[in-house]
Amino acid sequence: MHFVVCLKQVPDTSEVRIDPITNTLMREGVPSIINPYDAHGLEEAIRLKAKVGGKVTIVSMGPPQAKEALKKAMSFGADRAILLSDRAFGGSDSLATAYIISSALQKIHETEPIDLVFAGKEAIDGDTAQTGPGIAQRLGFPQLTYAIRVKELTDTTVTVERKTESGRQVVQAQLPALLTVEKELNDLSYATLPNMMKAAAYEPEVWNFSSLPFDITQMGLKGSPTSVARIFAPPGRSGGEIMDGMKDPKGTAASIVQKIFQQNIIMVHPLSKGGKH
Amino acid sequence: MENFDVIIVGGGPAGLSAAISAANAGMKTVVIERGDYPGTKNVMGGILYTKATDMVVPEFWKEAPLERPIIEQRIAMLSGNEAIMAGYRDPAWGVEPYNAHSIMRVKFDRWLAEQAEKAGVMIITETLVEDLLYQNNNVVGVRTGRAEGDLGAKVVILAEGVNNFLAVKAGLAKPLKPASVAVTVKEIIALPKEKIEDRFCLEEGQGATIELYGDSTAGLMGVGFIYTNKDSISIGVGAILEPMIRNNWTPNDLLENLKAKPYVKRLLQGGETKEYLAHLIPEGGYHQVPKLHRQGVLVIGDTAMLMNSLNREGSNLAMISGKIAGEVAAQSIKSGDVSDQAMTVYETRLKDSFVLKDLHHYRHMASFFEDNPHLLKVYPKMLSKAAKMYLTADGVPKKARQKEIIKMAFEHRSIAGFVKDIYGAWRALL
């Protein structure tokens, strides 16, 4: 089976700060990492390859430095890595990015038919969760989003458990399909030494604007209908309310319960028979 | 199991220099580094010497990430709020061929690793070497912490740094003792370029260093330092661990003590601390240099205790030891003899170079200061008193004042004491 993993190199957001005056990201000296959700997609692809055989191809879009993330990704046991990198791609929003990546996947699909595509549920630097679904839509692949478990993979179908706002759902799709994945999907493994060495010697392929019959009007700033108007740090949280529990414990407890229900922190389930609270 | 000619444990200046010289001699070479990339775990005061580095990467200054060429070296002896200063400045040090630069190891070591990769070295990161592999008591490779983690080699070079776990395991070195290791902490404090240049009287881009003795370490055997970077200042202090424990000092308290000194405070004023680093420094000296070789193994850099603290030299000794080790490994492999006997060439060449010559020259120094703890307490006080008496204009005739100074000096130390100190210093340092 042919597994494709879409992977993004992102700044380690735990180390990015926002300049309080200019409201711009202070990215200097911030290490780059593989988007954590994507890493779990890669892990699943590698595990499935070990189970059913086949090949894992990694695709990423970004500046030339993103090669580092691809080399690192290779160390987990992938077979091929392609970096889509061109000045013309710069400034693309999620719509344009989905166009560029899906075009690359289409080309890969023509020579080596793809069975299953993995994408992180979102990138930690933008949190849009749009690129994965955008790629599936353009390729005409069914998309199963927010996957937390791959329950079954047959020659023609994939069955996954997905997280929804109210619970879990088990869904099945025909292959080829695209999954966007949550971190719960699996635990990351350590790379073996032979794979580390293979990756150290590996040079990712770089595809640029002229590698494919791209439409220039669908990419970059001009091909992006959305733009980032402003970045700002959310205001700091105000301190919580502190109530004195020593003077009148019963009264304090009662007023806490009242506050909890007033602010809908806990709700009475509509099906319960108006239980006491 | 994949086989290499040379495996180098550790991606610091010693290990990377060894890798470059082994690869240049045609050896299939791998460096195994535990950090995310070479540099992330590496710490030093921050001065890189040109000559040794040039021998490893010719004309490195044209490309390497450097901070400032050092054109002035100052020494200050602190006594309470007082300070006595001396120094040397030569603007010629600011142009080729340079003498030294301030650097950031996280940037420089990464760059050096790229040069090694260009020379054909494979660099494996985030991987810990746990032990050497033996076959009939012969070292034949290393075992890493990763799955399928064994690697074969004809020669293993230990450049694991001051924490010499593998060298100890292999029976070459002894575990570190608190009396023969210094702990050094430093802060990198951001300041605008212009402020740095104004405060240290530098032309644009030039750098300066100050070594601080006496009360900079609260009388402990050690030294404080201030180095100028591009847009920050490194300030640090280090002292031998054992007396630090005995006197109940923490490294951080020592650093705060130094930062509060009037001579230092103004240099740092308004800066923002960006980084805090700490490191152990092998101060055992010549007598504690471990066994430098055995069949199939060479020991270099901090692991080999190659450190000349008096002249604040360490990275250059590390790089030269690495370069020689890489060459000796290649020669031995080519001649098909990696026995302990063949490896002695490494030690002989180190003894012929400044590396072991300097260590040998200062071989009595550690015990001299250890046996004479008063040196770091009495002399700074005496000298600043003398300077103050001499320089204070208070109507006392100079001849009388000179007599007073001599009298004061002998109150601090007897004639016999002076003779003993001078003889000791002469023996230890000259």
Side-chain angles (χ1 to χ4, degrees), chain B residues 13 17 44-61 64 66 68-74 93 97-103 105 108-109 111-112 208-211 213 225 227 306-320 354 358:
Chain B
S17 302
M44 71 176 185
I47 299 300
L48 180 83
Y49 293 95
T50 311
K51 176 77 182 166
T53 315
D54 187 37
M55 286 170 75
V56 173
V57 183
E59 303 197 326
F60 67 96
W61 57 82
L66 305 168
R68 291 171 181 267
I70 303 305
I71 63 122
E72 178 179 298
Q73 298 196 178
R74 238 184 277 171
W93 274 352
Y98 304 104
N99 178 50
H101 286 84
S102 49
I103 58 161
R105 286 285 298 274
F108 180 82
D109 290 12
W111 176 84
L112 193 60
T209 67
I210 309 174
E211 320 291 329
Y213 296 93
F225 58 87
Y227 303 149
L306 303 177
M307 163 68 58
N308 165 4
S309 46
L310 189 73
N311 295 80
R312 187 239 271 140
E313 294 181 24
S315 59
N316 52 336
L317 279 62
M319 293 175 93
I320 295 302
F354 75 96
D358 285 358

Side-chain angles (χ1 to χ4, degrees), chain B residues 203-219:
Chain B
E203 298 292 337
E204 200 183 330
Q206 292 177 341
T209 67
I210 309 174
E211 320 291 329
L212 303 127
Y213 296 93
D215 275 355
S216 65
T217 53

Side-chain angles (χ1 to χ4, degrees), chain B residues 111-166:
Chain B
W111 176 84
L112 193 60
E114 285 166 13
Q115 308 316 301
E117 281 182 313
K118 279 184 200 161
V121 175
M122 174 178 279
I123 294 182
I124 299 290
T125 56
E126 294 176 274
T127 302
L128 186 70
V129 174
E130 293 178 343
D131 208 346
L132 300 177
L133 285 182
Y134 296 88
Q135 209 172 61
N136 305 326
N137 201 34
N138 281 344
V139 171
V140 294
V142 301
R143 169 155 296 162
T144 69
R146 289 196 177 267
E148 303 166 59
D150 288 358
L151 278 187
K154 294 175 182 133
V155 172
V156 177
I157 298 180
L158 297 181
E160 54 182 333
V162 59
N163 287 306
N164 54 359
F165 305 115
L166 289 175

Side-chain angles (χ1 to χ4, degrees), chain B residues 406-422:
Chain B
I406 289 164
K407 194 169 158 247
M408 179 278 295
F410 285 119
E411 277 161 12
H412 279 81
R413 197 91 180 109
S414 66
I415 293 184
F418 274 120
V419 171
K420 189 171 159 270
D421 292 346
I422 290 165

Side-chain angles (χ1 to χ4, degrees), chain A residues 72 191-194 196-197 200-201, chain B residues 2 122 125-126 146-149:
Chain A
K72 175 140 198 194
T192 65
L193 189 63
M196 296 278 296
M197 302 209 311
Chain B
E2 183 151 357
M122 174 178 279
T125 56
E126 294 176 274
R146 289 196 177 267
E148 303 166 59

